[in-house]
Amino acid sequence: MRKEELRIVFMGTPDFAVETLDALVKNGYNVVAVVTQPDKPVGRHGSVLQPSAVKQYALEHQLPVLQPEKMKDETFVEDLRSYNANLQVVVAFRMLPEVVWAMPEYGTFNIHAALLPQYRGAAPINWAVINGETRTGVTTFFLDHDIDTGRVIMQLPFDIHDDYDVENVYDGLMHLGADICLQTLQRIIDSNGHPEAMAQEEMLTDGEVLKPAPKIFKDTCHIPWTNSAKQVYDFVRGLSPYPGAWTTLRLSDGKETVLKVFKTQKTSISSTKTAGTVVVEGRKMMVVCGNGLMIELLEVQMAGKKRMNAADFLNGQKNTDGCSVY
């Protein structure tokens, strides 16, 4: 089989997926159609429709675009079938029904931003950083009936440095995702559509505990100051820059405000004060954590204000020392 003979339907929505789609196009693969989310209402009254990043790229490269509201819609299924694809490639999209993922003769493979079977779910990058992992990666696997459980084709690792936040890991995995897609396609071509793939159950070591990666909600982002300083540090970078970790700051006058925290720094300074106590030393804003060590806040954002460094925040907020966050 030659790559020009492989008819591919690509499915994805955000920038993360565009990197892989661009790699397919630039490397001469035959992308016969693109499936993405419907345009999203934006603006003050939702009167403007914003196309996804994948749709914008597809239109710029004259690729047919399908935007189903429901993946089981009969009209969409028939339209999809009309492209007679041999294979479907999915990156950062949505759950597919069997009538869709089982349609091509060579199946449908997904690129997942984690080393499966660990971190199955919607937010694998966030949770890997939150949990203090030092390594993650990307996985290609064939879709089946359950979420992120299909047979693994291949994996590529990625090191998470201690100063990386979600944005750093996202960018790294975005490029690695394009690489693994091209390598996976070559395996499919070399095997005439039937590459070796391993059941995820066979990849687990004895006693290994699976760590999930569920969707992130606002309550998920509430900073747990009673945790250790290292855990708080990982928590903040695991949600930065988006959606952002947050806490409630109780000021000396009793007023309260929501404070987002985007960047922190570990210290070796200990305190006997209660976890959540704010300690100001010079132009440094620190918070006592559950293990008695303090963590320094470097970049914060008060509700209704711009993101700023903590020193500038202190300039506008007098008598912050001794306040509390919770």
Side-chain angles (χ1 to χ4, degrees):
M1 181 195 304
R2 296 182 300 112
K3 67 180 181 180
E4 294 82 6
E5 298 170 346
L6 191 62
R7 295 175 61 82
I8 298 172
V9 166
F10 182 87
M11 300 183 182
T13 298
D15 289 328
F16 191 93
V18 172
E19 186 77 13
T20 299
L21 178 56
D22 183 56
L24 295 179
V25 171
K26 288 181 176 177
N27 282 275
Y29 281 95
N30 184 18
V31 180
V32 295
V34 169
V35 182
T36 190
Q37 295 279 37
D39 295 357
K40 184 178 180 181
V42 295
R44 187 171 183 180
H45 302 291
S47 57
V48 178
L49 293 178
Q50 177 70 41
S52 71
V54 162
K55 179 180 178 179
Q56 293 179 54
Y57 179 93
L59 294 179
E60 290 169 3
H61 292 80
Q62 292 79 52
L63 298 174
V65 176
L66 301 176
Q67 295 178 272
E69 290 283 350
K70 297 180 179 180
M71 299 302 291
K72 291 184 179 179
D73 179 80
E74 291 182 6
T75 300
F76 162 68
V77 171
E78 288 308 310
D79 286 345
L80 183 62
R81 186 173 283 115
S82 71
Y83 287 99
N84 196 29
N86 309 108
L87 179 73
Q88 291 172 159
V89 177
V90 180
V91 185
F93 193 45
R94 58 202 282 192
M95 188 172 179
L96 304 181
E98 183 175 2
V99 68
V100 172
W101 58 256
M103 187 182 297
E105 61 179 314
Y106 302 141
T108 300
F109 77 78
N110 183 80
I111 299 173
H112 188 71
L115 297 176
L116 292 173
Q118 293 293 350
Y119 295 104
R120 294 169 176 163
I125 301 176
N126 297 94
W127 285 108
V129 181
I130 288 172
N131 289 337
E133 302 288 359
T134 58
R135 192 180 80 149
T136 184
V138 288
T139 301
T140 50
F141 69 97
F142 286 114
L143 293 188
D144 63 12
H145 293 93
D146 298 313
I147 299 175
D148 301 334
T149 60
R151 294 174 298 120
V152 169
I153 307 167
M154 64 177 299
Q155 297 182 318
L156 293 176
F158 179 84
D159 291 333
I160 305 176
H161 296 173
D162 189 59
D163 59 346
Y164 279 5
D165 60 18
V166 163
E167 188 170 42
N168 300 126
V169 182
Y170 181 99
D171 288 345
L173 295 185
M174 180 173 67
H175 297 299
L176 201 61
D179 291 342
I180 199 171
C181 181
L182 296 178
Q183 292 183 41
T184 299
L185 287 172
Q186 191 58 54
R187 289 193 181 189
I188 290 172
I189 291 169
D190 292 343
S191 63
N192 289 315
H194 301 286
E196 291 185 6
M198 180 179 292
Q200 292 188 33
E201 292 75 14
E202 298 176 15
M203 301 172 67
L204 288 168
T205 58
D206 289 342
E208 183 176 358
V209 177
L210 290 180
K211 300 174 184 177
K215 187 176 180 180
I216 301 288
F217 296 97
K218 181 180 178 181
D219 288 348
T220 315
C221 304
H222 188 194
I223 301 173
W225 296 108
T226 53
N227 284 2
S228 71
K230 173 63 165 62
Q231 289 171 322
V232 172
Y233 173 78
D234 292 335
F235 187 86
V236 170
R237 67 192 181 103
L239 296 166
S240 180
Y242 181 82
W246 65 273
T247 189
T248 299
L249 171 64
R250 181 181 287 126
L251 300 169
S252 56
D253 60 4
K255 293 182 179 179
E256 296 183 348
T257 182
V258 172
L259 188 72
K260 279 195 171 185
V261 181
F262 293 97
K263 191 173 183 180
T264 65
Q265 181 172 279
K266 291 175 289 185
T267 78
S268 58
I269 307 171
S270 61
S271 173
T272 58
K273 295 180 180 180
T274 304
T277 301
V278 178
V279 177
V280 177
E281 293 184 0
R283 292 174 59 81
K284 292 185 177 182
M285 181 178 181
M286 296 179 286
V287 177
V288 182
C289 296
N291 63 343
L293 286 177
M294 292 197 286
I295 193 165
E296 183 182 354
L297 309 189
L298 298 180
E299 294 182 16
V300 299
Q301 182 179 13
M302 196 160 61
K305 304 293 184 179
K306 294 181 179 180
R307 179 173 171 175
M308 63 182 72
N309 62 58
D312 290 338
F313 174 80
L314 291 175
N315 288 337
Q317 295 292 327
K318 306 301 181 184
N319 303 318
T320 307
D321 186 45
C323 293
S324 64
V325 288
Y326 67 92

